[in-house]
Amino acid sequence: MLKRWLLSLMARISLIMLGLCCCLLLFYLLACKPAAHSRQQSLLWPGGATSKEGYLALLQEREDSHRHYINSLTKQIGELKEALQERTQQLHDSLEKAKTKGILPQGLESLHKTPTESDLKEFFRSQLNQAEVISGMQLPNEYALNPFDTFTLQTVYQLETGLTRHPAERPARRDRRDELIGAMETALHVLNGPQQHRDDPRQKQTYSPSDLIQGLTRTERDRGSVYELMFKGDGPHSFTQLVLFRPFGPLMKVKSESVNTRSIIINIIVPLSKRVEAFKQFINNFREVCIQQDGRVHLTVVYFGPDQIDQVKAVLDQTTRETRFRSFTLIQMNEEFSRGRGLEVGARAWRQKQNVLLFFCDVDVHFTADFLTSCRLNAEPGKKVYYPVLFSQYNPSIIYSNQTLPPPLQQQLVIRRDGGFWRDFGFGMTCQYRSDFINIGGFDRSLKGWGLEDVHLYRKYLHSKLMVVRAPSRGLFHLWHEKSCADELPPDKYQMCMQTKAMSEASHGQLGALFFQQEIENHLKKQKQI
């Protein structure tokens, strides 16, 4: 009896001691601030709150995030129910009409059944599988491609309004703005929701609208709208890509994944013949963007002919001495200039084992570090090739005719209606992996001189199963230069060259003002005499 009482007493004492230890441990955790999380807490509560207040703030933040996520789910469920009811009513109405007319086709007996939630999901999934979201589609020609619109938090860059009208829409139309805001809110709910944290327990970042790098969107009339949103990751070269699809109903998540571009090298290939001054201007842009800012590039120059080759070598040697950047390749071709031939040779000259990302560029193209990021994000080996639409600059002497001197180049590179146009008929600037370029067969080697080689390559990708990402780029500019069309060009190429020359001079209104300048001056003289 005594032994049982002693055992009971010892058990009670052990429980009391255990409770005291737990209390002491809890007080220790509340009083002490873990060193491992000091940086994260300083970011969450910059006001210098105590650890207890910090934990309470974190709990409150998580509770708010879960509440927003629940509200979003509730809203989507409501939209799904409305869409289901509307579709059910439409099907019943169609069925009744068919029964009344006695033309009910066979196989529609299942319409008597009330559609379930699984039926609606299956319909949305079928829409997703038919749309060009996960994989590319074979297209007959370049006119069949549906281009993307590029958007940021403030601006929408689009092609649908034509070459010379509103290249940058700011602000967007109200209906379009509400649509993009809805996509952004859904993306943030997905990235910050509890499901995302459960899928990736290491994720500690809370995303906000300011983390958006770029967005791409387009609508297929018979399938739905797709949104590709790229957000900053937890490092300078890390990104998070989120793809949303709206099958003419509530948005549904397609995928959410982290993208790291740290190890992606871009091989910039430039075919060149003479034009040393333009090459010097290109190298200045290359030094500022690629060497000073990016640092993960290789430059391949394919030079045609012996003339002025020494000057090109001198420019590259000077760049190496001043910047210690040695990732250059200069290939001399003793034959007639052919842009396609130069790009083909430059792409195949890569000898490293890494499947390099190619950027086919011209000497009169100006690009930014943001474009290099877009190049890496919008191309994927075996899946996607990137065909950006660059902004082509008008003749500065016409644009700034009312000024003594044109402004500096950086001030000229602004996307506005009177400054230039979206060059949506050009397919020469492109980002694609070397493996895709080799597998597709490269350029048509029978083409000589200027034009058409890029269109043929573009059509090859349209006929393949790779996705072609075609969208205006806010970081890629074609600098104006005097253009001459050689007499030896065949008629079709000569006509293309002349059309490009005419469109590159000025806008329709500016050319009209020049054409009718004498009539305008005569009118002003008459007005002064009155």
Side-chain angles (χ1 to χ4, degrees):
M1 187 70 178
L2 178 61
K3 186 183 293 186
R4 185 178 300 171
W5 179 81
L6 287 174
L7 290 174
S8 176
L9 179 62
M10 290 178 65
R12 293 179 181 178
I13 292 174
S14 299
L15 290 174
I16 293 172
M17 293 295 293
L18 181 61
L20 289 175
C21 290
C22 291
C23 293
L24 289 174
L25 181 60
L26 179 60
F27 285 130
Y28 175 80
L29 290 176
L30 292 176
C32 298
K33 186 178 182 180
H37 300 288
S38 59
R39 183 174 180 267
Q40 182 179 355
Q41 289 179 351
S42 63
L43 291 174
L44 291 174
W45 310 292
T50 63
S51 297
K52 182 177 180 180
E53 294 173 344
Y55 286 124
L56 292 176
L58 178 61
L59 290 174
Q60 183 64 38
E61 180 182 346
R62 288 299 182 190
E63 183 179 349
D64 293 341
S65 176
H66 285 219
R67 187 182 299 110
H68 288 310
Y69 186 70
I70 291 172
N71 292 337
S72 175
L73 288 177
T74 303
K75 179 181 178 182
Q76 293 185 39
I77 290 173
E79 292 177 349
L80 283 170
K81 289 182 178 179
E82 292 179 2
L84 179 60
Q85 292 175 358
E86 181 179 355
R87 181 166 174 77
T88 301
Q89 186 62 42
Q90 292 176 355
L91 291 174
H92 279 300
D93 292 344
S94 301
L95 180 60
E96 291 299 327
K97 291 181 180 179
K99 289 172 62 179
T100 303
K101 296 180 180 180
I103 56 173
L104 179 64
Q106 295 180 355
L108 294 183
E109 293 80 5
S110 60
L111 293 178
H112 291 286
K113 302 179 181 179
T114 302
T116 62
E117 184 177 348
S118 61
D119 296 331
L120 188 61
K121 289 182 178 180
E122 182 62 28
F123 167 72
F124 288 159
R125 182 59 58 182
S126 66
Q127 290 289 91
L128 174 61
N129 293 335
Q130 296 176 31
E132 192 178 13
V133 178
I134 300 178
S135 61
M137 299 175 60
Q138 296 183 6
L139 300 174
N141 53 54
E142 61 270 26
Y143 303 105
L145 181 74
N146 186 14
F148 285 87
D149 289 344
T150 305
F151 68 91
T152 62
L153 292 178
Q154 295 83 21
T155 311
V156 178
Y157 304 89
Q158 57 185 356
L159 300 176
E160 64 180 7
T161 52
L163 294 177
T164 59
R165 294 180 179 272
H166 309 295
E169 185 177 349
R170 183 172 47 202
R173 302 188 312 265
R174 182 174 180 179
D175 57 338
R176 189 67 184 279
R177 184 171 63 250
D178 293 342
E179 171 198 347
L180 296 179
I181 289 175
M184 173 67 73
E185 290 178 347
T186 301
L188 293 176
H189 287 159
V190 170
L191 294 177
N192 296 325
Q195 181 64 35
Q196 190 74 4
H197 290 280
R198 186 160 60 249
D199 294 342
D200 187 2
R202 297 171 297 176
Q203 181 186 343
K204 298 179 180 179
Q205 180 178 355
T206 300
Y207 294 87
S208 65
S210 60
D211 293 324
L212 179 69
I213 296 292
Q214 73 165 16
L216 298 177
T217 179
R218 68 178 176 183
T219 299
E220 299 182 39
R221 292 180 176 87
D222 57 342
R223 296 180 178 92
S225 300
V226 61
Y227 307 86
E228 296 186 14
L229 296 96
M230 195 67 63
F231 292 88
K232 297 177 184 176
D234 54 4
H237 307 297
S238 297
F239 304 90
T240 297
Q241 183 187 33
L242 186 67
V243 180
L244 301 173
F245 182 62
R246 187 199 301 275
F248 295 128
L251 283 169
M252 57 186 296
K253 185 179 88 170
V254 178
K255 68 176 180 178
S256 177
E257 61 183 6
S258 297
V259 181
N260 194 318
T261 62
R262 179 185 297 274
S263 60
I264 299 179
I265 304 297
I266 299 179
N267 184 12
I268 303 177
I269 304 178
V270 180
L272 185 65
S273 178
K274 302 178 182 179
R275 301 197 63 191
V276 176
E277 293 303 319
F279 183 68
K280 291 179 180 178
Q281 187 178 45
F282 175 85
I283 287 295
N284 290 335
N285 177 227
F286 181 87
R287 291 174 62 165
E288 178 183 354
V289 174
C290 299
I291 300 178
Q292 298 176 11
Q293 300 181 37
D294 191 89
R296 294 165 292 153
V297 296
H298 182 89
L299 177 62
T300 300
V301 179
V302 182
Y303 194 86
F304 288 82
D307 297 340
Q308 302 181 3
I309 183 65
D310 293 336
Q311 299 181 43
V312 173
K313 291 181 179 178
V315 172
L316 294 177
D317 291 341
Q318 181 182 3
T319 302
T320 300
R321 290 194 306 270
E322 295 177 356
T323 64
R324 298 183 179 180
F325 183 84
R326 301 181 181 277
S327 192
F328 295 115
T329 298
L330 177 60
I331 303 173
Q332 184 176 5
M333 305 286 292
N334 292 320
E335 55 186 74
E336 182 184 355
F337 176 79
S338 170
R339 183 178 184 274
R341 168 71 171 155
L343 295 174
E344 182 92 20
V345 170
R348 296 181 182 273
W350 183 261
R351 292 291 178 256
Q352 300 183 30
K353 294 182 179 180
Q354 181 181 3
N355 183 19
V356 70
L357 176 59
L358 306 176
F359 170 37
F360 295 154
C361 188
D362 289 341
V363 71
D364 46 22
V365 167
H366 185 281
F367 54 87
T368 65
D370 289 338
F371 168 75
L372 296 180
T373 299
S374 299
C375 184
R376 293 184 175 97
L377 295 177
N378 293 322
E380 188 173 354
K383 294 184 178 180
K384 294 192 297 185
V385 293
Y386 182 39
Y387 272 84
V389 180
L390 51 74
F391 193 75
S392 190
Q393 182 188 30
Y394 286 142
N395 189 343
S397 62
I398 297 178
I399 300 174
Y400 306 103
S401 58
N402 58 342
Q403 301 182 23
T404 305
L405 292 174
L409 179 61
Q410 291 296 335
Q411 297 182 18
Q412 297 182 29
L413 300 180
V414 180
I415 299 176
R416 55 187 180 89
R417 180 176 177 178
D418 294 333
F421 62 97
W422 290 118
R423 202 181 186 93
D424 68 343
F425 54 82
F427 308 96
M429 296 338 109
T430 171
C431 296
Q432 53 193 263
Y433 277 86
R434 184 176 182 271
S435 59
D436 294 329
F437 177 77
I438 299 298
N439 292 335
I440 207 72
F443 287 103
D444 186 346
R445 302 180 186 181
S446 63
L447 297 173
K448 302 294 182 181
W450 181 91
L452 288 184
E453 78 286 336
D454 50 357
V455 179
H456 285 204
L457 179 65
Y458 182 69
R459 288 172 179 169
K460 285 184 180 181
Y461 281 115
L462 293 179
H463 297 159
S464 73
K465 292 185 178 181
L466 274 70
M467 182 183 298
V468 178
V469 179
R470 178 76 166 159
S473 172
R474 53 194 173 97
L476 194 61
F477 297 86
H478 180 270
L479 303 180
W480 184 89
H481 61 89
E482 189 72 35
K483 193 171 189 62
S484 60
C485 300
D487 293 336
E488 58 268 19
L489 288 174
D492 56 344
K493 291 187 177 181
Y494 188 84
Q495 183 177 2
M496 289 175 58
C497 183
M498 291 300 296
Q499 289 176 349
T500 303
K501 181 177 181 179
M503 296 188 64
S504 301
E505 287 296 315
S507 67
H508 193 148
Q510 291 166 334
L511 290 177
L514 289 175
F515 185 80
F516 297 108
Q517 184 175 4
Q518 187 62 45
E519 295 183 26
I520 296 174
E521 292 178 355
N522 293 337
H523 178 74
L524 291 175
K525 290 180 181 178
K526 291 179 181 179
Q527 291 294 321
K528 290 180 180 179
Q529 294 175 359
I530 297 177

